[in-house]
Each structure stands twice: as structure tokens, then as C-alpha cells.
Amino acid sequence: MTRFFVEPEMLNTQTITLSGENANHARVLRLKAGEEVLLCDGQGREALCRVTDSEMTLEVLCCRESQAEPDVQVSIYMAFPKADKLEHVIQKATELGAAEIVAFPTVRCVSRPDDKSLKKKLERWQKIAASASEQSGRGKIPQVVVLGSYKEALQRAAMANRAILLYENERATTLKMALEAAPLTTVSILSGPEGGLEEKEVEQAKEAGLHICTLGSRILRCETAPLCALSAVMYSAGEF
Amino acid sequence: MTRFFVEPEMLNTQTITLSGENANHARVLRLKAGEEVLLCDGQGREALCRVTDSEMTLEVLCCRESQAEPDVQVSIYMAFPKADKLEHVIQKATELGAAEIVAFPTVRCVSRPDDKSLKKKLERWQKIAASASEQSGRGKIPQVVVLGSYKEALQRAAMANRAILLYENERATTLKMALEAAPLTTVSILSGPEGGLEEKEVEQAKEAGLHICTLGSRILRCETAPLCALSAVMYSAGEF
């Protein structure tokens, strides 16, 4: 079924007229009278609608909670990587059901956006999340958040029901051990940049209450690790 | 520890002299006498070596099975995707521990290499697998295999201990149900191209003995689905 993201307040009416990009999209699709489409507010609510005689005007049939959102809320905390890897992770983590993607600096981060370019980049990143949400049929658009320090990232990540740091030198604790200790409601997954985290940073994470976990005996790239862990969390939480 | 891939027969000697690309790599790294390096045969055996006074000559300390290979053998069967998505999947599936990556045509495949370009492409794909193996510290280089038909892919995939087809319209059977039915030794994961598999193709897979599974209520891109499932299989098999 065709899906459009609209402003939340639009779902409160009985008749909805598409505008802007949605109208362009509807024109390309040549919607037919009687056809059903889904309008999502990007915050987890959606309206099942029927196209009226005018392809731009939709009659609301029913409003409901989105059925494509996972029960578990997973936040991906990723140290600023090089090049367009953050964009890749935003797109894939959105498909895989992440609730938010949080970027932050660490000691070994080679690249981090300056204050000047940050606003534009954030807009771009949020657009990638919106587009991946639409394509994957999600009811919510994950927020992309940028934090100013590693300390702030640790404090924020630690507030989840389960906070996990992925570390290639960890040997004893597997992700499974950390996940199976209690039911999953909110999960933070934190991982380092290309050069890895410094030992001192791992110690700080431990002190902040994060579980230090391995993803097995192979070294994953910085853009692979969070997506691998996110897949495992969704699997472990019974999503598939 | 620095790692080099060498021809399997080289591991049968007591002293090994690096040559070709490995020699260039060793020069760049400025190996020091006494330093330990790992030579891997790409088939699961490795030799721990010590650099002698000449940086190109290594003394073998011990030979052993690679410690970075998963116990479960997972084959990724992917319908030919567009553009460079197969390269992406080869790189990532190698990192995540796949035993082989098998590409094949389906009805809705938009692109598939012609016989002329296939040999060059296979060489390139195998190089990507080798390079990802090296970077991720694996002891084996996964084989990249190209099959001529969907039927052949089904027959080959069905020979695994557990053969799974990922299908976005499946609602009842989760990957977890299919994986937890018996211990995991060899697993095939088969998935479709951008446009998805035709219903008839899904029926054929069922007849061939594959389990049709969902990866949850979000639609994953054709390059995301196999990597998500591979992560879940490795997690389920106790790899992390």
C-alpha cells in the first residue's frame, strides 16, 4: 500500500488534501479513486484513507497505531565515522527499526562536523531517516541526534534499561549475556570510530554503567558493528 | 597482530619468505626482528611466526586452526541486485562470518552479468572477500559463487542443515522459529532482488524444502535483509 508521511495534526480531520512533495508523489503514482493509501504521522500513528474522485483528496477510514514499529526501543550511539558512513548507518538502522541514532565525538574520531556545517548535515541526516522510514514501511521516523561530548553520550546511553558498549577487545561477555539478563524495553548500543575506543574510554563507559560486550572473534568495521548488534537485539526481542 | 594470507603449502615449512604483495605490505609496515605475525592459508589454518633479522623472512613458531572462524557454516544466497550492492554484501557478509556468498538470477532481477564480464567480476568479488577477510581477522576467505539459475540455487541451498528463504509477505514463521527447531551446523539464507521474489518462486522454494521466514514487519532493502539474517544466525548460534 502507498504510504505518505504527513504532519501529525493532519490525522485529526476526516478529509485530507495532499500538498507539497506528497502531492507530487501522488501525481507520479496516478492514484485512482477508491484506492486505499496509508498516511503516517512519523510518530507512530497512521490513518487508512481512501482516494476520492480527486486524486489529491483522501477520506479517512480509520486511525490506528502503526503496526510496523518494534516494541523494543533501540538507540544507536555511534562515534563520528569518516566519510558517508554515518549516512549508511542512519539508513540501515532506520530500516532495522532503531528508535534514534545518536552521533558523538571520541578521542580517536578523525572527522567531526564543525558547528557551521552541523545544521545542514543534521537536516540531511534527518531526511535520510525519513526516506528510509517511508521505504521500509515504518510508522515512526527515528530522530538523529548529535551530542557534544563522549561523556554526554555515556550519560544519555546509560539511562536505557540495557546499555551496551561494543568493544573488540572484550572476550568474556557476549551480547547474548547482556541481553538475556532481563526483558528488553529500552536498549542503547554504543560503538567507537574506525580507530576504536581508547581503553580509558571503555573504563569510563563501565563506570557509567554500560555493559562491555563482544560481537565475536571477527573484527567488524565501525559501520558494520552497530547494525549487526541492532539485528541481534531485534531478533532477541522476538521481532523476527 | 599483523596478518598475511599466503598459499596453503607455504605453511608446511619452518622458514617462510614473504613475496609479492605481502612483501610490499611488510615493507610498508617496517616489521622489526622478533615481532610476531600471523600467516593464514585462507582455508582455516594459520601459522604464528617470528620476524628474523631480515624483515622478509619469518620463522614458524606454531601451526594451528584459525581461532576466528565460526562453528556454524552460513551460505548467503543473494539474487543479483543492481549496481554495487553485491559488492557491499560480499564485504559485510565476510566480516560477519559467512562461509560463502552465492549469486543467482531470478525473474525480477534487473541486472545480471553476461558471460563475457562474469570472469572479471568474479575475480573482483573474490578480491573483495579476501580483503574483508584480512581486515576482519578471519582465517578463511569465503568463496564467491555464481549460479546460472534459480532452480540450481534452490537445490544447492536446500542441502544445508537449515535452508531459509527470507520473504517480506510471510507473516506466520519467524526466523527464530526456523533456527531454533534444531542445532545449527550448516545454514543457507536465500533472498530476492529489489523487486522481490514472485509468488511462484516462493512456492518453488517451499517445494525444494526451504523454510519461508519473515524478518519482521519492516520491509528491508535487498542488501540489508541477508546481513540482518546473518547477524541473527550468528547470534543464535552463540557466536556473540
Side-chain angles (χ1 to χ4, degrees):
Chain A
M1 197 180 305
T2 306
R3 303 166 74 259
F4 298 96
F5 277 108
V6 297
E7 292 299 316
E9 54 274 17
M10 279 181 75
L11 295 195
N12 298 332
T13 51
Q14 275 306 307
T15 313
I16 295 169
T17 304
L18 294 174
S19 59
E21 277 188 35
N22 283 334
N24 294 339
H25 190 191
R27 236 169 258 126
V28 172
L29 293 169
R30 299 169 189 260
L31 295 181
K32 285 184 194 67
E35 198 173 322
E36 293 188 351
V37 302
L38 216 48
L39 297 196
C40 308
D41 73 353
Q43 299 176 5
R45 280 184 77 234
E46 61 187 23
L48 183 68
C49 299
R50 186 188 289 136
V51 179
T52 64
D53 290 339
S54 149
E55 64 181 358
M56 290 306 145
T57 309
L58 310 172
E59 172 197 359
V60 176
L61 300 177
C62 76
C63 265
R64 63 191 186 198
E65 288 297 302
S66 163
Q67 272 136 52
E69 285 298 312
D71 290 333
V72 58
Q73 300 289 307
V74 186
S75 302
I76 298 295
Y77 285 80
M78 189 186 194
F80 282 118
K82 286 193 224 170
D84 56 358
K85 286 181 199 163
L86 185 55
E87 301 188 359
H88 171 84
V89 170
I90 290 169
Q91 185 193 70
K92 299 301 172 208
T94 299
E95 283 177 60
L96 294 168
E100 59 177 2
I101 297 100
V102 185
F104 57 91
T106 67
V107 174
R108 293 192 192 144
C109 281
V110 175
S111 111
R112 63 184 85 176
D114 52 35
D115 291 348
K116 251 190 182 170
S117 63
L118 187 60
K119 203 180 153 232
K120 271 208 165 167
K121 285 205 166 155
L122 251 177
E123 264 173 37
R124 186 176 154 70
W125 293 334
Q126 197 59 57
K127 262 198 179 166
I128 291 171
S131 150
S133 287
E134 201 166 339
Q135 172 145 11
S136 59
R138 287 193 58 175
K140 283 187 191 169
I141 302 172
Q143 281 295 311
V144 182
V145 179
V146 167
L147 301 179
S149 73
Y150 179 62
K151 199 179 156 195
E152 207 180 330
L154 289 182
Q155 283 172 347
R156 198 171 180 281
M159 278 158 42
N161 167 261
R162 205 71 44 79
I164 285 156
L165 178 136
L166 306 174
Y167 185 43
E168 69 276 15
N169 293 332
E170 172 60 31
R171 293 285 168 269
T173 308
T174 62
L175 183 65
K176 193 171 248 167
M177 289 177 195
L179 292 180
E180 291 187 345
L184 299 175
T185 52
T186 54
V187 179
S188 301
I189 300 171
L190 194 145
S191 57
E194 284 84 358
L197 291 165
E198 296 204 332
E199 245 175 80
K200 203 180 130 194
E201 288 173 320
V202 177
E203 278 309 311
Q204 285 174 312
K206 214 178 276 177
E207 281 161 25
L210 277 75
H211 299 264
I212 318 299
C213 293
T214 172
L215 284 184
S217 45
R218 289 160 296 285
I219 310 281
L220 301 182
R221 283 171 194 250
C222 70
E223 74 274 22
T224 313
L227 302 174
C228 171
L230 176 55
S231 302
V233 169
M234 289 295 170
Y235 177 82
S236 180
E239 280 293 315
F240 58 84
Chain B
M1 196 181 306
T2 305
R3 302 166 75 259
F4 298 94
F5 277 107
V6 296
E7 293 299 316
E9 55 274 15
M10 278 181 75
L11 295 195
N12 297 332
T13 51
Q14 275 306 305
T15 313
I16 294 169
T17 304
L18 294 174
S19 60
E21 276 189 34
N22 283 334
N24 293 339
H25 190 191
R27 238 168 255 126
V28 172
L29 292 170
R30 298 169 190 261
L31 296 181
K32 285 185 194 69
E35 198 174 321
E36 292 186 354
V37 303
L38 214 49
L39 296 197
C40 308
D41 72 354
Q43 300 177 3
R45 281 184 75 234
E46 60 188 24
L48 182 68
C49 300
R50 186 187 289 136
V51 179
T52 63
D53 289 341
S54 150
E55 63 181 358
M56 290 305 145
T57 309
L58 311 172
E59 171 197 1
V60 176
L61 300 178
C62 75
C63 265
R64 63 192 185 196
E65 287 298 301
S66 162
Q67 273 136 52
E69 284 299 312
D71 289 332
V72 58
Q73 299 289 305
V74 186
S75 302
I76 299 295
Y77 284 80
M78 188 186 196
F80 283 117
K82 285 192 224 168
D84 56 358
K85 286 181 199 163
L86 185 55
E87 301 188 359
H88 172 84
V89 171
I90 291 169
Q91 186 192 68
K92 298 302 173 208
T94 300
E95 283 177 60
L96 294 168
E100 59 177 1
I101 297 100
V102 185
F104 57 92
T106 68
V107 174
R108 294 193 192 142
C109 281
V110 176
S111 111
R112 65 184 83 175
D114 52 36
D115 291 348
K116 250 189 181 171
S117 63
L118 187 59
K119 201 179 154 232
K120 269 208 165 165
K121 284 204 168 155
L122 252 177
E123 264 173 34
R124 186 176 153 69
W125 292 335
Q126 197 58 58
K127 261 199 179 164
I128 291 170
S131 149
S133 286
E134 200 166 340
Q135 172 145 11
S136 59
R138 286 193 60 175
K140 283 187 190 168
I141 303 172
Q143 279 295 309
V144 182
V145 178
V146 168
L147 300 179
S149 74
Y150 179 61
K151 199 181 156 193
E152 206 181 331
L154 289 183
Q155 284 172 347
R156 200 171 179 280
M159 279 158 40
N161 167 260
R162 203 70 42 79
I164 285 156
L165 178 136
L166 307 174
Y167 186 43
E168 69 277 14
N169 293 332
E170 172 61 32
R171 292 286 168 270
T173 308
T174 61
L175 183 65
K176 193 173 247 167
M177 289 177 196
L179 292 180
E180 290 187 346
L184 299 175
T185 52
T186 54
V187 180
S188 301
I189 301 171
L190 193 145
S191 58
E194 284 84 359
L197 291 167
E198 295 204 331
E199 246 175 79
K200 202 181 130 195
E201 289 173 321
V202 177
E203 278 310 309
Q204 286 174 310
K206 215 179 277 179
E207 281 161 26
L210 277 77
H211 299 264
I212 317 299
C213 294
T214 172
L215 284 184
S217 46
R218 289 159 296 285
I219 310 280
L220 301 182
R221 282 171 195 250
C222 70
E223 74 274 21
T224 313
L227 302 174
C228 171
L230 176 56
S231 302
V233 170
M234 290 295 172
Y235 177 81
S236 181
E239 279 293 313
F240 58 85

